[in-house]
Amino acid sequence: MIIDTSTSFVRSVKAWLVGGALVAGLAVPVATMAGQGSVSIDTKLSQSKLVQSGDNIVYLNVTIRPSPQHERISERRATDLLLLLDRSGSMSEARKMPYAKAAIREVLGRLDGNDRFALVTFSDQAVVASHWLNVDAANRYHLDRLVEGVSASGGTNMGEGLQAVLRLLQYGDSERVRKVLLLSDGQANQGITHPDLLANMATQATRYGAVMSTIGMGLGFNERLLAKLADYGMGHYSYLEDLSGLAAILNRDLQDSRRLYASRSTLEIRLGEGVQLVDAGGYPLSRGGSTVTITTGQLLSNTAKHFVITLRVPNVRTGSLTLGDLRLNYRVDGETLQAVPDRQLTLSVVAPERRDEARQSIDREVYRQSWLENNLGRAKKQLGRWLREGKREQAEQVIGNYKRELKEAERDSAIELASPAVNEALQQMESQVDEAFSGSLQEQHIKQNRAAKSLQYEAIKQQRK
């Protein structure tokens, strides 16, 4: 079922669930009727039958696809671009600040008089260097000078910077596309530092219609924090050790804002009895009773979003089983719309003597993609975590577990999963472990940090298409 954007909407509700937080007293329009094109949800199960008391993991491929008809509408809208720039002392190293300034000036050059720009910088404290200004001929030189005048010193009070961003976002126009870009090279070490509290600020930014993306610079930043901020801010996470590519990353984010259809989206799943949701492409999860809310982020016009949901299913009794009901909530021009898939999520649990029948029900493409993309991505994320903590035994165990589970999956499904590409990826992961624990302790620390960032970034790209 697809929601019609021309339908009359309810103009006020008492509470609204976004990104796992219940926000009371907000006026939020909600679409409740089906109609012609906006966003569709396609779902495919890895299999339609499970063997009783056997492996009880099922994969669900989810594809969220905005209608192409909305692309030109998004491109015509003006952009509000807010740069949140780290100016802590470490930004003076390795020419980070000059690269950042040059990239910001290049992005400014791509904005026009209909677009607005604001700049917030932070070190020990946050400074609003510029409130919202139209990027016209009169203001462009002034903004260039403001950017050039930023100097690096002090600590990293990222929380105060995010608070300043939220204050600026209170004043805006829902007709504009609103984008926040956070550039940082360090750890949040002053003020509010807890990742969950910082992530909550990113979620608050989405309530003002903004999308927050993050870019980690160099090797000193906390990749797990910046990835989390991007997830809760409905944007995406990037990192660069070689900062010569920074302008290209910023320009890509600007182009994404030109194609923005929905500033945020969340997928709600009301799980069937006994069904457990294990993972959803690494997206943030919020659980409330039998309902799980997945923060699926911004939706770009004419661009599909694809990921895999991993479910653990009760299979001790034979018979039909309902896995759950899906509903996508997404926000377009200040209105909350909904879409649901056109098929129910059900499967059958069959007796062990019908094992061949269960194998024949497997969707080979979905099953292979789940193992060779999603599950491999999860393994890379776990490997990165152990390398960052300098724990070789646990890192090697991650690779060993994936190899063993892959063979078990091949045996149970009678589907060949191993391939040259997978073998190459596993060999590369083993080489990363060997390299991360070679050389002096100082060299090991640098290599482990580099590998952790690379693996985190690769994992996100592998799990989400």
Side-chain angles (χ1 to χ4, degrees):
M1 182 172 69
I2 303 172
I3 301 305
D4 184 354
T5 55
S6 66
T7 304
S8 297
F9 301 107
V10 179
R11 292 293 170 181
S12 178
V13 294
K14 293 295 183 181
W16 157 44
L17 189 65
V18 171
L22 189 63
V23 185
L26 295 180
V28 181
V30 179
T32 56
M33 297 176 63
Q36 297 298 317
S38 60
V39 174
S40 64
I41 311 175
D42 298 323
T43 59
K44 288 184 180 180
L45 282 169
S46 59
Q47 58 205 97
S48 60
K49 296 178 182 179
L50 275 180
V51 177
Q52 182 183 17
S53 299
D55 183 18
N56 64 345
I57 294 295
V58 175
Y59 302 105
L60 175 67
N61 266 21
V62 177
T63 302
I64 301 171
R65 183 177 287 107
S67 170
Q69 73 188 53
H70 297 285
E71 184 167 14
R72 290 192 297 272
I73 296 174
S74 293
E75 289 180 340
R76 289 198 299 267
R77 293 168 62 194
T79 298
D80 277 353
L81 180 62
L82 197 164
L83 251 295
L84 178 56
L85 176 62
D86 183 349
R87 57 178 170 84
S88 59
S90 58
M91 286 289 288
S92 62
E93 303 167 358
R95 303 193 68 243
K96 294 173 192 171
M97 188 61 79
Y99 273 120
K101 291 178 179 179
I104 295 171
R105 287 197 298 271
E106 183 170 333
V107 170
L108 277 170
R110 295 174 182 267
L111 300 175
D112 61 33
N114 294 319
D115 301 316
R116 299 194 307 173
F117 179 82
L119 176 64
V120 175
T121 66
F122 64 93
S123 60
D124 296 327
Q125 295 177 322
V127 173
V128 179
S130 171
H131 290 263
W132 295 112
L133 286 176
N134 286 87
V135 189
D136 53 23
N139 290 326
R140 192 178 299 277
Y141 177 80
H142 170 66
L143 291 171
D144 280 341
R145 293 301 90 200
L146 280 179
V147 171
E148 186 58 34
V150 176
S151 59
S153 66
T156 309
N157 195 336
M158 188 180 295
E160 189 168 311
L162 290 168
Q163 288 173 330
V165 165
L166 293 177
R167 288 192 292 271
L168 282 171
L169 290 175
Q170 291 180 34
Y171 307 99
D173 184 347
S174 64
E175 294 302 314
R176 291 174 171 268
V177 174
R178 316 191 79 191
K179 186 83 174 185
V180 178
L181 293 177
L182 166 60
L183 280 69
S184 179
D185 78 327
Q187 311 277 338
N189 56 25
Q190 292 187 12
I192 298 172
T193 60
H194 195 286
D196 290 345
L197 296 177
L198 295 172
N200 185 56
M201 294 184 197
T203 298
Q204 290 181 53
T206 70
R207 296 172 193 156
Y208 295 117
V211 171
M212 180 181 294
S213 292
T214 62
I215 302 173
M217 303 169 62
L219 290 176
F221 69 93
N222 183 336
E223 69 275 6
R224 295 175 70 182
L225 172 61
L226 290 195
K228 185 168 187 172
L229 291 177
D231 274 345
Y232 281 85
M234 303 284 181
H236 56 250
Y237 156 73
S238 303
Y239 102 93
L240 290 169
E241 183 177 352
D242 177 5
L243 299 179
S244 61
L246 182 58
I249 296 291
L250 290 182
N251 286 326
R252 183 198 65 187
D253 273 282
L254 179 61
Q255 292 306 311
D256 282 353
S257 72
R258 303 295 196 196
R259 300 190 299 118
L260 190 68
Y261 173 56
S263 59
R264 61 172 171 258
S265 67
T266 56
L267 187 65
E268 291 183 8
I269 305 181
R270 189 176 62 191
L271 297 171
E273 185 177 358
V275 178
Q276 300 175 31
L277 194 151
V278 178
D279 180 71
Y283 284 112
L285 305 177
S286 175
R287 304 177 190 270
S290 63
T291 299
V292 179
T293 301
I294 305 166
T295 303
T296 43
Q298 63 182 342
L299 302 178
L300 302 180
S301 292
N302 206 23
T303 302
K305 183 187 291 284
H306 171 78
F307 59 98
V308 172
I309 294 175
T310 305
L311 299 169
R312 182 173 288 113
V313 179
N315 61 344
V316 294
R317 293 191 299 271
T318 60
S320 179
L321 185 65
T322 298
L323 300 180
D325 297 319
L326 300 184
R327 179 178 63 185
L328 180 75
N329 301 311
Y330 58 102
R331 188 85 164 151
V332 179
D333 296 342
E335 295 179 312
T336 297
L337 312 177
Q338 293 178 351
V340 297
D342 58 2
R343 69 183 74 181
Q344 290 187 322
L345 300 180
T346 59
L347 56 74
S348 299
V349 178
V350 300
E353 55 267 25
R354 298 170 62 187
R355 184 177 303 276
D356 288 344
E357 187 179 329
R359 283 176 173 173
Q360 291 172 5
S361 79
I362 294 175
D363 185 313
R364 300 175 73 90
E365 181 182 0
V366 172
Y367 198 76
R368 285 180 60 84
Q369 286 182 350
S370 299
W371 270 101
L372 306 185
E373 295 177 3
N374 181 71
N375 291 2
L376 184 59
R378 290 178 65 189
K380 286 183 176 181
K381 188 177 295 184
Q382 294 169 353
L383 180 61
R385 170 192 170 188
W386 293 125
L387 289 182
R388 167 173 271 281
E389 296 183 14
K391 296 182 178 179
R392 180 165 190 160
E393 182 178 350
Q394 288 88 336
E396 291 175 338
Q397 188 175 6
V398 168
I399 301 174
N401 286 344
Y402 179 81
K403 288 181 176 180
R404 174 180 53 79
E405 291 166 0
L406 190 68
K407 288 182 179 179
E408 291 174 353
E410 283 186 319
R411 181 199 64 208
D412 294 341
S413 65
I415 296 173
E416 185 178 353
L417 297 175
S419 69
V422 171
N423 291 334
E424 182 180 350
L426 291 171
Q427 289 172 4
Q428 182 179 2
M429 291 162 68
E430 290 171 339
S431 297
Q432 285 177 299
V433 174
D434 290 337
E435 179 65 16
F437 291 94
S438 65
S440 67
L441 289 178
Q442 183 177 2
E443 289 172 334
Q444 289 182 34
H445 177 73
I446 293 172
K447 293 174 182 178
Q448 290 161 11
N449 190 14
R450 178 179 290 118
K453 287 175 170 52
S454 175
L455 287 162
Q456 170 86 15
Y457 186 60
E458 290 175 16
I460 292 173
K461 291 196 299 181
Q462 198 140 17
Q463 285 193 281
R464 310 172 190 175
K465 303 296 183 181

